Structures are given as structure tokens and as C-alpha cells.
Amino acid sequence: MVEPALITWTDDEQAIAQEAFSHAYGRAVSTVISTLRREADSIHTAQALWRLHDYLSTQRHVMEGRFDFRLEGILFTFASLVKENLLELQELDGLDADKLAKIKAMSRF
């Protein structure tokens, strides 16, 4: 059985990836905070309070799953973040052209 080729990362590429990842995480957190502030102003019942709690619990679960910085799967993560407008391809400038092409292609689906 032939194993897939491992993707290698230079130190510079790892630094670029980590910075871009951090920026995308910050944007996602800001979105949740904005939603929380907007929704909190309209809480007038216990039911609305628990609905907001459920939203926060769901977002925490989603973000913990989405924002997992492991180089083995980071190209998929970046493609997903680009697709969700949490990351711009330009923020990944400096990565190998093949990595950028894969991210760009995967972000289209």
C-alpha cells in the first residue's frame, strides 16, 4: 500500500499559518460576541435566556472543532475558513504555491 506524501512546512510557513489561524479565530469570536450582545438586549423571559445559553454552547462546540491547529489537516481548515469568510487567501501569502492552490480549490466546494 502506498502512503500519501506528507506535506512539509517550513518554519516561515508555520508562522504564517499560525498568524492567519489566530486572525480567523479572532474574527469568529468577534462574530459570536456581536451576536451575544445583540441577543442579550432582547432577553425578557427565561426561555429566551436558555435559548441564548444553547446558542453559546453550540458555538463553543463548533469553534472547538473548527479551530484545531494541526498541520496535518490545516489545509482543510483554511479552506473552510476561507469559504466562511473568516480568512482571506491573501493572509496566507508566503505559503507554498501548491498549498495555496489546494486551499483555494477546496474552498470552492
Side-chain angles (χ1 to χ4, degrees):
M1 184 164 118
V2 177
E3 291 189 29
L6 294 176
I7 297 173
T8 58
W9 292 79
T10 66
D11 290 342
D12 287 343
E13 286 181 315
Q14 288 182 45
I16 291 165
Q18 184 64 58
E19 184 174 351
F21 183 86
S22 294
H23 287 211
Y25 180 78
R27 289 183 192 110
V29 168
S30 291
T31 299
V32 171
I33 290 171
S34 294
T35 301
L36 174 63
R37 286 186 175 139
R38 187 175 56 252
E39 295 297 320
D41 287 340
S42 66
I43 294 176
H44 300 292
T45 66
Q47 184 179 11
L49 179 64
W50 303 137
R51 197 171 31 249
L52 186 57
H53 171 270
D54 292 345
Y55 166 77
L56 286 172
S57 294
T58 300
Q59 289 305 306
R60 180 177 182 177
H61 177 75
V62 167
M63 287 186 62
E64 286 175 352
R66 177 186 296 153
F67 288 96
D68 182 10
F69 188 85
R70 284 188 255 173
L71 291 176
E72 307 89 59
I74 200 70
L75 297 182
F76 294 105
T77 300
F78 283 156
S80 173
L81 295 172
V82 167
K83 186 175 184 173
E84 295 171 21
N85 296 314
L86 292 170
L87 182 66
E88 297 290 330
L89 283 171
Q90 297 85 336
E91 293 177 279
L92 298 170
D93 282 348
L95 296 186
D96 176 76
D98 286 343
K99 291 180 184 93
L100 289 172
K102 288 177 184 178
I103 294 165
K104 188 175 182 179
M106 289 186 291
S107 70
R108 293 183 187 143
F109 299 100

